[in-house]
Amino acid sequence: MDFLISIMSKNTSIVELFCIEKLEKMIKLRMEDRKLGDGQLEYIEKVRNIIRDFSLKTGISIKYFARTYGCQQNENDTEKLSGLLEAMGFEPTNDINFADLIIFNTCAVREHAERKILGNLGALMKNKRENPALKIVLCGCMFQQPHMAEKIKSYRQVDMILGTHVMGSFPEKIYKLYTEKGKIIDLENIDTLPLENIPTKRENSIKAWVTIMSGCNNFCSYCVVPYVRGREHSRYPDDVISEVKDLVDKGYKDITLLGQNVNSYCKDLDIGYDFSDLLSDLNKIDGKFRIRFMTSHPKDATRKLFDTIANCEKVCKHVHLPVQSGSDRILKLMNRRYTSEQYLALVEYAEKKIDGVTFTSDIIVGFPTETEEDFEKTLSLVEKVGFNGLYTFLYSPRENTPAAIMDGQVPSDIKSERFNRLLELQNQKSIESNLRYIGKIVEVLTEGYTDEEKTTMTGRTDENIIVKFPAEAGVLNEFVKVKIERAANWAIFGRVVK
C-alpha cells in the first residue's frame, strides 16, 4: 500500500516497523467491511428487474429527479445516490414535473434551507395528484434532527424519510419503496465508516468532489453537524489516492477534497499519516490537474500544512479557513478553540511560505451576546487579513445546539445592519485583492460560457479567482493563459494570450 510505504519513509521506529504487517492485515479486513455488501448488490438487481419489467410492458422508463440543498459534501452524496439509482435502472430528468421519483437531499446548517425545502414539499402535492405513482424521498442532515423528522412524518405526500447514515442500505430501501405499502422511515444514528465501491454520477466533466472523511468532532456551539453527521471517520489514504488517480485518468482537472474538517484527516485511524501527507502523495500522481480542499479548521491547521502547499505544485494556493468571528470572547462562546491572534499568526505564516496565497473565510454575524465592540473586532480582522472573499451568515438558532438557548440573542435589525457593514468592507477588500492581477498573466482552467451566445468564457485561477474573457475556439475545459486587463470585486477580466 502506498501510504504504508509513506509511513515507513517518515523515520518510522523499529517497533512501528514490526507492526506494519499486522496493520496492513487489519486495514485490509476493515476495507472489506466497508464495501457495498452483496445483499445490497442483490437489491440493485431486484429493483433493476422491477423497472425493466415495467418498461417492457408499458414502453415507459421510470425517471428520477434529485435536488441538493447544502454543502459540497451533500452534493457528493447526491452524486452517489444518483449513481446507485442509475445502477438500478432509473433514468435521470432535469424536469421535476416529469419525474416518477423525486429525491431531496437536505441541509440542516441554515434555517433558510429548511424553509425552502418545506415550501417545495407543499408545491409537490400537485405533482402527487397528477401522478399517483410518484414517489417522494427525503434524506440527509435535515431529517437526522428529531424535531424535523417528527414534523415531516405528517406530510402525506412523502413516501420515504432517510437520515445521513443509510448510504449502504439505499438499494434495499428503494426496493421496499416499490414493493411494500406505507411510509418508510430510517433515521437510525449508526456510527459507520464511509463506503468505497458506491457508483457515482459526476455532475461535471472536469471538476470532481472527493469526500475524504465524514463527520465532525468539534461541537461548535452553533452547529448541528456532529449531531447529524456523526463522529469523524476518515477514508484510508489508498482509497482516496486510487479514486483521484481514476479521476485524473478520466480527464478530471480540478479535484476538491471534502471533509467537515480536513485538517483532522486520519487522526481517527492512528496510522502515523495526516492530511499534509495525503496532499503530498496526491501531488505525485502523473498528469496536469489541480487539488483543492475544504474545509479547514484553524485549530488544526499546522505549519506543516502550509509548508506542504508551498512545495506541491498541484495543490492550489488558496485556503478556505473559516474564522467565524474576530472577537476572542465570541470565539470562546462558539467553542472554536483558537484566538484571533492565533488565526492571524497562521495567515501570516502562510503568506510568508506560499507565494500569492489567497484566503477566503466564513463569518457569522450576530452570534448571541455579540456587542458592537465584538463586531468591530471582526471588521478589524477582515481588514488585516484582506480576504479575497467571504461567506457571511446571519446567525440563526439551530435546535438542540448550546447557542440556541444562550441569553442575549441579537435583534434582527442589528444583525442586518452589521451584516451590511461587513459586506461593504469585504467588497472593498475583494476588489483590492483582485486589482493586483491587472497586467499579469494567469493560468485559467476554463469551465464554460457565461452567455447563451457563447461569446464569453469563465474559469478559475489556481488561487480560486473567477476569470472572464472573450471566448476562444478549442479551449473549453483546458488550461489557458489570460492577461488581466481589469478587475471587479467578484472577478477579473482579460484576454487569452498564446
Side-chain angles (χ1 to χ4, degrees):
M1 292 185 174
D2 291 345
F3 76 93
L4 288 176
I5 295 170
S6 184
I7 294 171
M8 293 172 67
S9 67
K10 292 177 172 62
N11 301 318
T12 314
S13 70
I14 296 296
V15 175
E16 289 172 322
L17 283 172
F18 275 114
C19 294
I20 291 294
E21 184 178 354
K22 184 178 179 182
L23 177 64
E24 185 171 357
K25 288 179 181 178
M26 178 193 74
I27 289 170
K28 189 176 293 184
L29 178 64
R30 290 182 67 185
M31 286 172 68
E32 289 170 357
D33 291 341
R34 290 163 56 237
K35 291 183 178 180
L36 198 63
D38 290 339
Q40 296 306 314
L41 297 176
E42 290 177 12
Y43 281 113
I44 289 175
E45 188 61 28
K46 286 179 180 179
V47 176
R48 194 172 186 85
N49 289 337
I50 292 172
I51 291 177
R52 182 191 61 204
D53 292 345
F54 176 82
S55 296
L56 287 174
K57 289 178 183 177
T58 64
I60 300 171
S61 61
I62 298 182
K63 294 181 172 61
Y64 80 92
F65 174 90
R67 176 173 287 165
T68 308
Y69 299 85
C71 66
Q72 290 85 354
Q73 199 146 11
N74 273 25
E75 294 278 1
N76 191 225
D77 286 347
T78 300
E79 290 180 338
K80 292 173 183 175
L81 294 173
S82 297
L84 284 167
L85 286 172
E86 293 188 21
M88 287 183 260
F90 291 87
E91 292 186 5
T93 177
N94 292 322
D95 191 332
I96 196 170
N97 296 309
F98 292 155
D100 304 292
L101 171 66
I102 295 172
I103 292 186
F104 286 168
N105 188 15
T106 63
C107 172
V109 175
R110 303 295 168 199
E111 185 180 13
H112 174 71
E114 290 183 357
R115 291 200 303 267
K116 192 171 183 179
I117 292 163
L118 295 176
N120 287 341
L121 275 180
L124 288 181
M125 286 294 291
K126 176 176 178 290
N127 297 64
K128 198 82 168 181
R129 286 194 298 269
E130 293 176 352
N131 179 10
L134 171 65
K135 305 291 186 184
I136 298 176
V137 177
L138 304 179
C139 60
C141 300
M142 179 174 169
F143 305 108
Q144 202 68 49
Q145 302 173 101
H147 71 286
M148 289 306 302
E150 197 61 36
K151 181 175 185 176
I152 213 69
K153 287 177 183 177
S154 63
Y155 283 62
R156 289 179 299 156
Q157 68 271 40
V158 177
D159 299 284
M160 185 158 69
I161 307 169
L162 304 175
T164 57
H165 304 280
V166 295
M167 190 72 74
S169 62
F170 185 65
E172 179 182 357
K173 298 299 186 298
I174 293 296
Y175 176 75
K176 289 182 177 180
L177 183 65
Y178 282 91
T179 58
E180 298 180 4
K181 293 182 178 180
K183 186 172 295 188
I184 297 171
I185 300 174
D186 186 344
L187 302 171
E188 189 172 358
N189 195 347
I190 305 170
D191 207 19
T192 54
L193 294 164
L195 295 174
E196 290 303 330
N197 64 335
I198 294 179
T200 302
K201 182 190 177 184
R202 304 282 178 183
E203 292 298 326
N204 193 291
S205 60
I206 61 165
K207 300 176 71 173
W209 312 112
V210 175
T211 298
I212 66 170
M213 62 188 300
S214 61
C216 183
N217 292 348
N218 289 313
F219 290 93
C220 299
S221 64
Y222 52 82
C223 185
V224 298
V225 169
Y227 308 101
V228 298
R229 284 278 183 178
R231 305 294 80 75
E232 289 177 355
H233 285 304
S234 302
R235 294 175 63 194
Y236 289 104
D238 267 11
D239 292 330
V240 176
I241 293 166
S242 177
E243 182 175 353
V244 173
K245 280 181 178 176
D246 182 62
L247 288 168
V248 173
D249 289 343
K250 290 176 179 176
Y252 286 87
K253 298 174 181 176
D254 194 304
I255 297 167
T256 302
L257 310 177
L258 298 177
Q260 263 75 34
N261 176 17
V262 293
N263 293 338
S264 61
Y265 173 71
C266 266
K267 284 186 178 181
D268 57 305
L269 298 182
D270 194 24
I271 57 175
Y273 190 96
D274 62 18
F275 183 57
S276 299
D277 298 326
L278 179 66
L279 292 178
S280 294
D281 285 342
L282 293 176
N283 191 67
K284 297 171 188 174
I285 297 174
D286 291 336
K288 186 172 177 58
F289 65 99
R290 289 172 172 170
I291 303 165
R292 302 187 187 277
F293 60 87
M294 63 188 317
T295 293
S296 287
H297 196 298
K299 77 175 178 60
D300 296 312
T302 62
R303 291 191 170 194
K304 179 183 176 183
L305 172 64
F306 298 126
D307 291 343
T308 300
I309 296 171
N311 294 326
C312 292
E313 71 279 3
K314 293 171 184 173
V315 179
C316 289
K317 309 305 184 275
H318 162 248
V319 182
H320 185 70
L321 195 64
V323 65
Q324 304 301 2
S325 175
S327 163
D328 291 346
R329 187 183 72 83
I330 295 296
L331 288 173
K332 187 173 183 178
L333 287 174
M334 289 178 168
N335 193 35
R336 292 294 286 174
R337 287 174 279 178
Y338 56 83
T339 65
S340 58
E341 183 179 355
Q342 290 169 330
Y343 185 93
L344 290 170
L346 280 174
V347 171
E348 182 180 6
Y349 182 81
E351 289 177 336
K352 286 180 180 178
K353 297 294 295 187
I354 308 168
D355 185 36
V357 67
T358 59
F359 283 93
T360 53
S361 192
D362 297 348
I363 288 181
I364 296 173
V365 176
F367 187 82
T369 77
E370 182 188 72
T371 64
E372 179 62 23
E373 182 183 0
D374 293 321
F375 181 67
E376 287 288 347
K377 289 177 180 178
T378 296
L379 293 180
S380 175
L381 185 141
V382 171
E383 181 73 46
K384 289 175 183 176
V385 175
F387 295 107
N388 186 264
L390 282 181
Y391 296 90
T392 52
F393 306 96
L394 293 173
Y395 171 75
S396 61
R398 301 286 78 204
E399 193 162 326
N400 299 319
T401 61
I405 57 173
M406 285 182 181
D407 293 331
Q409 299 289 326
V410 179
S412 297
D413 58 336
I414 294 177
K415 285 194 286 189
S416 297
E417 188 271 337
R418 289 175 183 168
F419 183 90
N420 290 334
R421 285 159 59 196
L422 175 62
L423 192 62
E424 183 180 358
L425 173 61
Q426 182 52 48
N427 285 339
Q428 174 190 332
K429 304 311 292 184
S430 293
I431 195 165
E432 287 176 6
S433 178
N434 286 345
L435 282 170
R436 63 180 172 157
Y437 291 99
I438 292 180
K440 294 183 178 179
I441 294 175
V442 297
E443 185 172 65
V444 178
L445 177 58
T446 59
E447 299 174 358
Y449 298 92
T450 63
D451 54 352
E452 291 184 5
E453 293 76 22
K454 296 184 177 182
T455 61
T456 304
M457 301 187 91
T458 184
R460 290 178 188 267
T461 67
D462 184 289
E463 301 84 7
N464 205 38
I465 310 298
I466 296 172
V467 184
K468 308 282 187 181
F469 52 93
E472 294 264 344
V475 301
L476 183 62
N477 298 345
E478 298 292 341
F479 290 97
V480 296
K481 301 289 186 181
V482 177
K483 186 170 184 178
I484 304 305
E485 299 172 341
R486 62 187 181 91
N489 66 316
W490 55 277
I492 55 180
F493 304 82
R495 293 182 178 276
V496 173
V497 294
K498 304 298 182 183

